[in-house]
Amino acid sequence: VDVARVLIQQSSQPGAFIVDPFLGSGSTGVAALQSGRDFLGCDLCSEAVSVSTQRLLDVGGETAVFSECFSRSGSEEKGQLSLGSLRT
C-alpha cells in the first residue's frame, strides 16, 4: 500500500478518480482512499472483488459491488466491479 500511496500522491490531486482494472486484493484502492481520492476497480475473479470490497470498507469507503457487469467476448467468464469511495 505504501508504494501505491506514494505513486498516487505524486501523480494525482485530492479528489481525483483512480482506476485499477486489475483489482486483486485492493491495495491501490486502499492507497487511493487513504490519499483522499475516489476509486474504481474491477477484476474477473469474484474472490478478489470480495476481498478488496472488505478492505475498502475497512478504510472507510462507501462501497458498491456490481457483479457480472460485463463478459469476455465469446466466453462465459463474467467480470466483477468494485466501486470504492464517493468520498471518505
Side-chain angles (χ1 to χ4, degrees):
V1 172
D2 292 337
V3 172
R5 186 181 305 109
V6 169
L7 294 172
I8 288 168
Q9 290 173 347
Q10 289 178 346
S11 63
S12 65
Q13 298 297 316
F17 212 92
I18 306 300
V19 177
D20 184 359
F22 308 103
L23 191 57
S25 65
S27 295
T28 299
V30 169
L33 298 183
Q34 290 176 339
S35 299
R37 277 62 169 181
D38 293 333
F39 176 75
L40 175 69
C42 58
D43 203 295
L44 291 175
C45 176
S46 60
E47 184 179 355
V49 172
S50 178
V51 168
S52 63
T53 297
Q54 188 58 55
R55 287 187 74 193
L56 294 171
L57 288 170
D58 289 347
V59 296
E62 299 172 8
T63 304
V65 176
F66 306 94
S67 63
E68 299 184 1
C69 57
F70 64 91
S71 62
R72 287 182 167 181
S73 179
S75 170
E76 293 299 317
E77 194 168 5
K78 301 288 185 181
Q80 304 277 330
L81 179 79
S82 179
L83 178 60
S85 171
L86 301 177
R87 294 275 184 253
T88 55

Coordinates of all heavy atoms in Angstrom, one line a residue:
V1 N 0.8 -1.2 0.0 CA 0.0 0.0 0.0 C 0.9 1.3 0.0 O 0.5 2.3 -0.6 CB -1.0 0.0 1.2 CG1 -1.7 1.3 1.3 CG2 -1.9 -1.2 1.1
D2 N 2.0 1.2 0.7 CA 2.9 2.4 0.8 C 3.4 2.9 -0.6 O 3.4 4.1 -0.8 CB 4.0 2.1 1.7 CG 3.6 1.9 3.2 OD1 2.5 2.4 3.5 OD2 4.4 1.3 3.9
V3 N 3.8 2.0 -1.4 CA 4.3 2.3 -2.7 C 3.2 2.9 -3.6 O 3.4 3.9 -4.2 CB 5.0 1.1 -3.4 CG1 5.4 1.5 -4.9 CG2 6.3 0.7 -2.7
A4 N 2.1 2.3 -3.6 CA 0.9 2.8 -4.3 C 0.5 4.1 -3.8 O 0.2 5.0 -4.6 CB -0.3 1.8 -4.2
R5 N 0.5 4.4 -2.5 CA 0.1 5.7 -2.0 C 1.1 6.8 -2.5 O 0.6 7.8 -2.9 CB 0.2 5.6 -0.4 CG -0.4 6.9 0.2 CD -0.3 6.9 1.7 NE -1.0 5.8 2.3 CZ -0.4 4.8 2.9 NH1 0.9 4.8 3.1 NH2 -1.2 3.8 3.4
V6 N 2.4 6.5 -2.5 CA 3.3 7.5 -3.0 C 3.1 7.8 -4.4 O 3.1 9.0 -4.8 CB 4.8 7.0 -2.8 CG1 5.8 7.9 -3.5 CG2 5.1 6.9 -1.3
L7 N 2.9 6.8 -5.2 CA 2.6 7.0 -6.7 C 1.3 7.8 -6.9 O 1.3 8.7 -7.8 CB 2.6 5.7 -7.4 CG 3.9 4.9 -7.4 CD1 3.7 3.5 -8.0 CD2 5.0 5.7 -8.2
I8 N 0.3 7.4 -6.2 CA -1.0 8.1 -6.3 C -0.8 9.6 -5.9 O -1.3 10.5 -6.6 CB -2.1 7.4 -5.5 CG1 -2.4 6.1 -6.2 CG2 -3.3 8.3 -5.3 CD1 -3.3 5.2 -5.3
Q9 N -0.1 9.9 -4.8 CA 0.0 11.2 -4.3 C 0.9 12.1 -5.3 O 0.7 13.3 -5.4 CB 0.6 11.2 -2.9 CG -0.4 10.7 -1.9 CD 0.2 10.6 -0.5 OE1 1.4 10.6 -0.3 NE2 -0.7 10.4 0.5
Q10 N 1.9 11.4 -5.9 CA 2.7 12.1 -6.9 C 2.1 12.4 -8.2 O 2.5 13.3 -8.9 CB 4.0 11.4 -7.1 CG 4.9 11.4 -5.9 CD 6.2 10.6 -6.1 OE1 6.3 9.8 -7.0 NE2 7.2 10.7 -5.2
S11 N 1.1 11.6 -8.6 CA 0.6 11.7 -9.9 C -0.9 12.2 -10.0 O -1.5 12.2 -11.1 CB 0.7 10.3 -10.6 OG -0.1 9.3 -9.9
S12 N -1.5 12.5 -8.9 CA -2.9 13.0 -8.9 C -3.1 14.0 -7.8 O -2.3 14.1 -6.9 CB -3.8 11.8 -8.8 OG -3.7 11.2 -7.5
Q13 N -4.3 14.7 -7.9 CA -4.7 15.6 -6.9 C -5.8 15.0 -6.0 O -6.5 14.2 -6.5 CB -5.2 16.9 -7.5 CG -4.2 17.6 -8.4 CD -3.0 18.1 -7.6 OE1 -3.2 18.7 -6.5 NE2 -1.8 17.9 -8.1
P14 N -5.9 15.5 -4.7 CA -7.0 15.0 -3.9 C -8.3 15.2 -4.6 O -8.5 16.2 -5.3 CB -6.9 15.9 -2.7 CG -5.4 16.2 -2.6 CD -5.0 16.4 -4.0
G15 N -9.2 14.2 -4.5 CA -10.5 14.3 -5.2 C -10.5 13.6 -6.6 O -11.5 13.4 -7.2
A16 N -9.3 13.3 -7.1 CA -9.2 12.7 -8.4 C -9.8 11.3 -8.3 O -9.9 10.7 -7.3 CB -7.7 12.6 -8.8
F17 N -10.1 10.7 -9.5 CA -10.6 9.4 -9.6 C -9.5 8.4 -10.1 O -8.9 8.6 -11.1 CB -11.7 9.4 -10.7 CG -12.8 8.4 -10.4 CD1 -13.9 8.8 -9.7 CD2 -12.7 7.1 -10.8 CE1 -15.0 7.9 -9.4 CE2 -13.7 6.2 -10.6 CZ -14.9 6.6 -9.8
I18 N -9.2 7.5 -9.2 CA -8.2 6.5 -9.5 C -8.9 5.2 -10.0 O -9.8 4.7 -9.3 CB -7.3 6.2 -8.3 CG1 -6.7 7.5 -7.7 CG2 -6.2 5.1 -8.6 CD1 -5.8 8.2 -8.6
V19 N -8.4 4.6 -11.1 CA -9.0 3.4 -11.7 C -7.9 2.3 -11.7 O -6.8 2.5 -12.1 CB -9.5 3.7 -13.1 CG1 -10.1 2.4 -13.7 CG2 -10.6 4.8 -13.1
D20 N -8.3 1.1 -11.2 CA -7.4 0.0 -11.3 C -8.2 -1.2 -12.0 O -9.1 -1.8 -11.4 CB -7.1 -0.5 -9.9 CG -6.1 -1.6 -9.8 OD1 -5.7 -2.1 -10.9 OD2 -5.7 -2.0 -8.7
P21 N -7.8 -1.5 -13.2 CA -8.5 -2.5 -13.9 C -8.1 -4.0 -13.5 O -8.7 -4.9 -14.0 CB -8.1 -2.3 -15.4 CG -6.8 -1.6 -15.3 CD -6.8 -0.8 -14.0
F22 N -7.2 -4.1 -12.6 CA -6.7 -5.4 -12.2 C -6.7 -5.4 -10.7 O -5.6 -5.4 -10.0 CB -5.3 -5.7 -12.7 CG -5.3 -5.6 -14.2 CD1 -4.7 -4.5 -14.8 CD2 -5.8 -6.5 -15.1 CE1 -4.6 -4.3 -16.2 CE2 -5.8 -6.4 -16.4 CZ -5.2 -5.3 -17.0
L23 N -7.8 -5.4 -10.1 CA -8.1 -5.1 -8.7 C -7.3 -5.9 -7.7 O -6.7 -5.4 -6.7 CB -9.6 -5.2 -8.4 CG -10.1 -4.8 -7.1 CD1 -9.8 -3.3 -6.9 CD2 -11.6 -5.0 -7.1
G24 N -7.2 -7.2 -7.9 CA -6.5 -8.1 -6.9 C -7.0 -7.9 -5.5 O -8.2 -7.9 -5.3
S25 N -6.1 -7.7 -4.6 CA -6.5 -7.5 -3.2 C -7.0 -6.1 -2.8 O -7.4 -5.9 -1.6 CB -5.4 -8.0 -2.2 OG -4.3 -7.1 -2.4
G26 N -6.9 -5.2 -3.7 CA -7.4 -3.8 -3.5 C -6.4 -2.8 -2.9 O -6.8 -1.8 -2.4
S27 N -5.1 -3.2 -2.9 CA -4.1 -2.3 -2.3 C -4.1 -0.9 -2.9 O -4.0 0.1 -2.2 CB -2.7 -2.9 -2.4 OG -2.6 -4.1 -1.7
T28 N -4.3 -0.8 -4.2 CA -4.3 0.5 -4.9 C -5.6 1.3 -4.4 O -5.5 2.5 -4.2 CB -4.4 0.3 -6.4 OG1 -3.2 -0.3 -6.8 CG2 -4.5 1.7 -7.1
G29 N -6.7 0.6 -4.3 CA -7.9 1.3 -3.8 C -7.7 1.8 -2.4 O -8.1 2.9 -2.0
V30 N -7.1 1.0 -1.5 CA -6.9 1.4 -0.1 C -6.0 2.7 -0.1 O -6.3 3.7 0.5 CB -6.2 0.3 0.7 CG1 -5.7 0.8 2.0 CG2 -7.2 -0.8 0.9
A31 N -4.9 2.6 -0.9 CA -4.0 3.8 -1.0 C -4.7 5.0 -1.5 O -4.5 6.1 -1.1 CB -2.8 3.4 -1.9
A32 N -5.6 4.8 -2.5 CA -6.3 5.9 -3.1 C -7.2 6.6 -2.1 O -7.3 7.8 -1.9 CB -7.1 5.5 -4.3
L33 N -8.0 5.7 -1.3 CA -8.9 6.3 -0.3 C -8.2 7.0 0.8 O -8.6 8.0 1.3 CB -9.8 5.2 0.2 CG -10.7 4.5 -0.8 CD1 -11.6 3.4 -0.1 CD2 -11.6 5.5 -1.6
Q34 N -7.1 6.4 1.2 CA -6.3 7.0 2.3 C -5.6 8.3 1.8 O -5.3 9.1 2.7 CB -5.2 6.0 2.7 CG -5.7 4.8 3.5 CD -4.7 3.8 3.9 OE1 -3.6 3.8 3.3 NE2 -5.0 3.0 4.8
S35 N -5.5 8.5 0.5 CA -4.9 9.7 0.0 C -6.0 10.7 -0.5 O -5.7 11.7 -1.1 CB -4.0 9.4 -1.2 OG -3.0 8.5 -0.8
G36 N -7.3 10.5 -0.1 CA -8.3 11.4 -0.5 C -8.8 11.4 -1.9 O -9.3 12.4 -2.4
R37 N -8.6 10.2 -2.6 CA -9.0 10.1 -4.0 C -10.2 9.1 -4.0 O -10.4 8.4 -3.1 CB -7.9 9.5 -4.8 CG -6.9 10.4 -5.4 CD -6.1 11.1 -4.3 NE -4.9 11.8 -4.9 CZ -4.1 12.5 -4.1 NH1 -4.2 12.5 -2.8 NH2 -3.0 13.1 -4.7
D38 N -11.0 9.2 -5.1 CA -12.1 8.3 -5.3 C -11.5 7.1 -6.0 O -10.4 7.2 -6.7 CB -13.2 8.9 -6.1 CG -13.9 10.0 -5.4 OD1 -13.9 9.9 -4.2 OD2 -14.5 10.9 -6.0
F39 N -12.1 5.9 -6.0 CA -11.5 4.7 -6.6 C -12.6 3.9 -7.3 O -13.7 3.7 -6.8 CB -10.8 3.9 -5.5 CG -10.3 2.6 -5.9 CD1 -9.1 2.6 -6.7 CD2 -10.9 1.4 -5.7 CE1 -8.6 1.4 -7.1 CE2 -10.4 0.2 -6.2 CZ -9.2 0.2 -6.9
L40 N -12.2 3.3 -8.4 CA -12.9 2.3 -9.1 C -12.0 1.2 -9.5 O -11.0 1.5 -10.2 CB -13.6 2.9 -10.4 CG -14.3 2.0 -11.3 CD1 -15.6 1.5 -10.6 CD2 -14.7 2.7 -12.6
G41 N -12.4 0.0 -9.2 CA -11.5 -1.2 -9.6 C -12.4 -2.3 -10.1 O -13.6 -2.4 -9.8
C42 N -11.8 -3.1 -10.9 CA -12.6 -4.3 -11.4 C -11.6 -5.5 -11.6 O -10.4 -5.3 -11.6 CB -13.3 -4.0 -12.8 SG -12.2 -3.5 -14.1
D43 N -12.2 -6.6 -11.5 CA -11.4 -7.9 -11.6 C -12.4 -9.0 -12.1 O -13.6 -9.0 -11.8 CB -10.9 -8.2 -10.2 CG -9.6 -9.1 -10.4 OD1 -9.8 -10.3 -10.8 OD2 -8.6 -8.7 -10.0
L44 N -11.8 -9.9 -12.8 CA -12.6 -11.1 -13.3 C -12.9 -12.1 -12.2 O -13.8 -12.9 -12.2 CB -11.9 -11.8 -14.4 CG -11.9 -11.0 -15.7 CD1 -11.0 -11.8 -16.8 CD2 -13.3 -10.7 -16.3
C45 N -12.1 -12.0 -11.1 CA -12.2 -13.0 -10.0 C -13.1 -12.5 -8.9 O -12.8 -11.4 -8.3 CB -10.8 -13.3 -9.5 SG -10.8 -14.3 -8.0
S46 N -14.2 -13.2 -8.7 CA -15.1 -12.7 -7.7 C -14.5 -12.7 -6.3 O -14.9 -11.9 -5.4 CB -16.4 -13.6 -7.7 OG -16.1 -14.9 -7.4
E47 N -13.6 -13.6 -6.0 CA -12.9 -13.6 -4.7 C -12.1 -12.4 -4.5 O -12.1 -11.8 -3.4 CB -12.0 -14.9 -4.6 CG -11.4 -15.0 -3.2 CD -10.5 -16.2 -3.0 OE1 -10.5 -17.1 -3.9 OE2 -9.9 -16.3 -2.0
A48 N -11.4 -11.9 -5.6 CA -10.6 -10.7 -5.5 C -11.5 -9.5 -5.2 O -11.2 -8.6 -4.4 CB -9.9 -10.4 -6.8
V49 N -12.7 -9.5 -5.8 CA -13.7 -8.4 -5.6 C -14.2 -8.4 -4.1 O -14.3 -7.4 -3.5 CB -14.8 -8.4 -6.6 CG1 -15.9 -7.4 -6.2 CG2 -14.3 -8.1 -8.0
S50 N -14.4 -9.6 -3.6 CA -14.9 -9.8 -2.3 C -13.9 -9.3 -1.3 O -14.2 -8.5 -0.3 CB -15.3 -11.2 -2.0 OG -15.7 -11.4 -0.7
V51 N -12.6 -9.7 -1.4 CA -11.5 -9.3 -0.5 C -11.3 -7.8 -0.6 O -11.2 -7.1 0.4 CB -10.2 -10.1 -0.9 CG1 -9.0 -9.4 -0.2 CG2 -10.4 -11.5 -0.5
S52 N -11.2 -7.3 -1.8 CA -11.0 -5.8 -1.9 C -12.1 -5.0 -1.4 O -11.9 -3.9 -0.8 CB -10.7 -5.5 -3.4 OG -11.8 -5.7 -4.2
T53 N -13.4 -5.4 -1.6 CA -14.5 -4.7 -1.1 C -14.4 -4.6 0.4 O -14.7 -3.5 0.9 CB -15.8 -5.4 -1.5 OG1 -15.9 -5.4 -2.9 CG2 -17.0 -4.7 -0.9
Q54 N -14.1 -5.7 1.1 CA -14.0 -5.6 2.5 C -12.8 -4.6 2.9 O -13.0 -3.9 3.9 CB -13.7 -7.0 3.1 CG -13.8 -7.0 4.6 CD -15.1 -6.4 5.2 OE1 -16.2 -6.9 4.8 NE2 -15.0 -5.4 6.0
R55 N -11.7 -4.7 2.2 CA -10.6 -3.8 2.5 C -11.0 -2.3 2.3 O -10.7 -1.5 3.1 CB -9.4 -4.1 1.7 CG -8.7 -5.4 2.1 CD -7.4 -5.6 1.3 NE -6.4 -4.7 1.8 CZ -5.3 -4.4 1.2 NH1 -5.0 -5.0 0.1 NH2 -4.4 -3.6 1.7
L56 N -11.8 -2.0 1.3 CA -12.2 -0.7 1.1 C -13.2 -0.2 2.2 O -13.1 0.9 2.6 CB -12.9 -0.5 -0.3 CG -12.0 -0.8 -1.5 CD1 -12.8 -0.9 -2.8 CD2 -11.0 0.3 -1.6
L57 N -14.1 -1.1 2.6 CA -15.0 -0.8 3.7 C -14.2 -0.5 5.0 O -14.5 0.4 5.8 CB -16.0 -1.9 3.9 CG -17.1 -2.0 2.9 CD1 -17.8 -3.3 3.1 CD2 -18.0 -0.8 2.9
D58 N -13.1 -1.3 5.2 CA -12.3 -1.2 6.4 C -11.6 0.2 6.5 O -11.3 0.6 7.6 CB -11.3 -2.3 6.5 CG -11.9 -3.7 6.8 OD1 -13.1 -3.7 7.2 OD2 -11.2 -4.7 6.6
V59 N -11.4 0.8 5.4 CA -10.7 2.1 5.4 C -11.7 3.3 5.2 O -11.3 4.4 5.0 CB -9.5 2.2 4.4 CG1 -8.4 1.3 4.8 CG2 -10.0 2.1 3.0
G60 N -13.0 3.0 5.4 CA -14.0 4.0 5.3 C -14.6 4.3 4.0 O -15.3 5.3 3.8
G61 N -14.4 3.4 3.0 CA -15.0 3.6 1.7 C -16.5 3.3 1.7 O -17.0 2.5 2.5
E62 N -17.2 4.0 0.9 CA -18.6 3.7 0.6 C -18.6 2.8 -0.6 O -18.4 3.3 -1.7 CB -19.4 5.0 0.4 CG -19.4 6.0 1.5 CD -20.0 7.3 1.1 OE1 -20.6 7.4 0.0 OE2 -19.9 8.2 1.9
T63 N -18.9 1.5 -0.4 CA -18.6 0.5 -1.4 C -19.9 0.0 -2.0 O -20.8 -0.4 -1.3 CB -17.8 -0.6 -0.9 OG1 -16.6 0.0 -0.3 CG2 -17.4 -1.6 -1.9
A64 N -19.9 -0.2 -3.3 CA -21.0 -0.9 -4.0 C -20.3 -1.9 -4.9 O -19.3 -1.6 -5.5 CB -21.8 0.1 -4.8
V65 N -20.9 -3.1 -5.0 CA -20.4 -4.1 -5.9 C -21.4 -4.5 -6.9 O -22.6 -4.7 -6.6 CB -20.0 -5.4 -5.1 CG1 -19.5 -6.5 -6.0 CG2 -18.9 -5.0 -4.1
F66 N -21.0 -4.5 -8.2 CA -21.9 -4.8 -9.3 C -21.3 -6.1 -9.9 O -20.2 -6.0 -10.5 CB -22.0 -3.7 -10.3 CG -22.3 -2.4 -9.7 CD1 -21.4 -1.5 -9.3 CD2 -23.7 -2.1 -9.5 CE1 -21.7 -0.3 -8.7 CE2 -24.0 -0.9 -9.0 CZ -23.0 0.0 -8.6
S67 N -22.0 -7.2 -9.8 CA -21.4 -8.4 -10.3 C -21.9 -8.7 -11.7 O -23.0 -8.2 -12.1 CB -21.8 -9.6 -9.4 OG -23.1 -9.8 -9.4
E68 N -21.1 -9.4 -12.4 CA -21.4 -9.8 -13.8 C -21.8 -8.6 -14.7 O -22.8 -8.6 -15.4 CB -22.6 -10.9 -13.8 CG -22.2 -12.1 -13.1 CD -23.2 -13.2 -13.2 OE1 -24.3 -13.0 -13.8 OE2 -23.0 -14.3 -12.6
C69 N -21.0 -7.6 -14.6 CA -21.3 -6.3 -15.3 C -20.8 -6.4 -16.7 O -21.3 -5.6 -17.5 CB -20.7 -5.1 -14.6 SG -19.0 -5.2 -14.3
F70 N -20.0 -7.3 -17.1 CA -19.6 -7.5 -18.5 C -19.1 -8.9 -18.7 O -18.9 -9.6 -17.7 CB -18.5 -6.5 -18.9 CG -17.2 -6.7 -18.1 CD1 -16.2 -7.5 -18.6 CD2 -17.0 -6.1 -16.9 CE1 -15.0 -7.7 -17.9 CE2 -15.8 -6.3 -16.2 CZ -14.8 -7.1 -16.7
S71 N -19.0 -9.3 -19.9 CA -18.4 -10.7 -20.2 C -17.4 -10.6 -21.3 O -17.5 -9.7 -22.1 CB -19.5 -11.6 -20.5 OG -20.2 -11.2 -21.7
R72 N -16.5 -11.5 -21.3 CA -15.5 -11.5 -22.3 C -16.2 -12.0 -23.6 O -17.0 -12.8 -23.6 CB -14.4 -12.5 -22.0 CG -13.5 -12.0 -20.9 CD -12.4 -13.0 -20.7 NE -11.3 -12.4 -19.9 CZ -10.2 -13.0 -19.5 NH1 -10.1 -14.3 -19.9 NH2 -9.3 -12.5 -18.8
S73 N -15.7 -11.5 -24.7 CA -16.2 -11.9 -26.0 C -16.0 -13.4 -26.2 O -14.9 -13.9 -26.1 CB -15.5 -11.1 -27.1 OG -16.0 -11.4 -28.3
G74 N -17.1 -14.1 -26.5 CA -17.0 -15.5 -26.8 C -16.8 -16.3 -25.5 O -16.3 -17.5 -25.7
S75 N -17.0 -15.8 -24.4 CA -16.7 -16.6 -23.1 C -17.8 -16.4 -22.1 O -18.6 -15.5 -22.2 CB -15.4 -16.0 -22.5 OG -15.2 -16.5 -21.2
E76 N -17.9 -17.4 -21.3 CA -18.9 -17.3 -20.2 C -18.4 -16.6 -19.0 O -19.1 -16.4 -18.1 CB -19.4 -18.8 -19.8 CG -20.1 -19.5 -20.9 CD -21.4 -18.8 -21.3 OE1 -22.1 -18.3 -20.4 OE2 -21.7 -18.6 -22.5
E77 N -17.1 -16.3 -19.0 CA -16.5 -15.6 -17.9 C -17.0 -14.2 -17.7 O -17.1 -13.5 -18.6 CB -15.0 -15.6 -18.1 CG -14.2 -15.3 -16.8 CD -12.7 -15.5 -17.0 OE1 -12.3 -15.9 -18.1 OE2 -12.0 -15.4 -16.0
K78 N -17.5 -13.9 -16.5 CA -18.1 -12.6 -16.2 C -17.1 -11.8 -15.4 O -16.3 -12.2 -14.7 CB -19.4 -12.8 -15.4 CG -20.4 -13.6 -16.0 CD -21.0 -12.9 -17.2 CE -22.2 -13.7 -17.8 NZ -22.8 -13.1 -18.9
G79 N -17.2 -10.5 -15.6 CA -16.4 -9.5 -14.9 C -17.1 -9.1 -13.6 O -18.3 -9.2 -13.4
Q80 N -16.3 -8.6 -12.7 CA -16.8 -8.0 -11.4 C -16.3 -6.6 -11.3 O -15.2 -6.3 -11.7 CB -16.3 -8.9 -10.2 CG -16.6 -10.3 -10.3 CD -18.0 -10.7 -9.8 OE1 -18.5 -10.0 -9.0 NE2 -18.6 -11.7 -10.4
L81 N -17.1 -5.8 -10.6 CA -16.7 -4.4 -10.4 C -16.8 -4.0 -8.9 O -17.8 -4.4 -8.3 CB -17.6 -3.5 -11.2 CG -17.4 -2.0 -11.1 CD1 -16.2 -1.6 -12.0 CD2 -18.6 -1.3 -11.6
S82 N -15.8 -3.4 -8.4 CA -15.9 -2.9 -7.0 C -15.7 -1.4 -7.1 O -14.7 -0.9 -7.5 CB -14.8 -3.5 -6.2 OG -14.9 -3.1 -4.8
L83 N -16.7 -0.6 -6.6 CA -16.6 0.8 -6.6 C -16.2 1.3 -5.2 O -16.8 1.0 -4.2 CB -18.0 1.4 -6.9 CG -18.1 2.9 -6.9 CD1 -17.2 3.5 -7.9 CD2 -19.6 3.3 -7.2
G84 N -15.1 2.0 -5.2 CA -14.5 2.4 -3.9 C -15.3 3.5 -3.2 O -16.4 3.2 -2.7
S85 N -14.9 4.7 -3.2 CA -15.5 5.7 -2.4 C -16.1 6.8 -3.2 O -15.6 7.1 -4.3 CB -14.4 6.3 -1.5 OG -14.9 7.4 -0.8
L86 N -17.2 7.3 -2.8 CA -17.7 8.5 -3.3 C -17.3 9.7 -2.5 O -17.8 10.8 -2.7 CB -19.3 8.4 -3.4 CG -19.7 7.2 -4.3 CD1 -21.2 7.1 -4.3 CD2 -19.2 7.4 -5.7
R87 N -16.5 9.5 -1.6 CA -15.8 10.4 -0.7 C -15.7 9.7 0.7 O -16.7 9.1 1.1 CB -16.4 11.8 -0.5 CG -16.4 12.6 -1.7 CD -15.1 13.4 -1.8 NE -15.2 14.3 -3.0 CZ -14.5 14.0 -4.1 NH1 -13.8 13.0 -4.3 NH2 -14.7 14.9 -5.1
T88 N -14.5 9.8 1.3 CA -14.4 9.1 2.6 C -14.5 10.2 3.7 O -14.5 11.4 3.4 CB -13.0 8.4 2.7 OG1 -12.0 9.3 2.4 CG2 -13.0 7.2 1.9

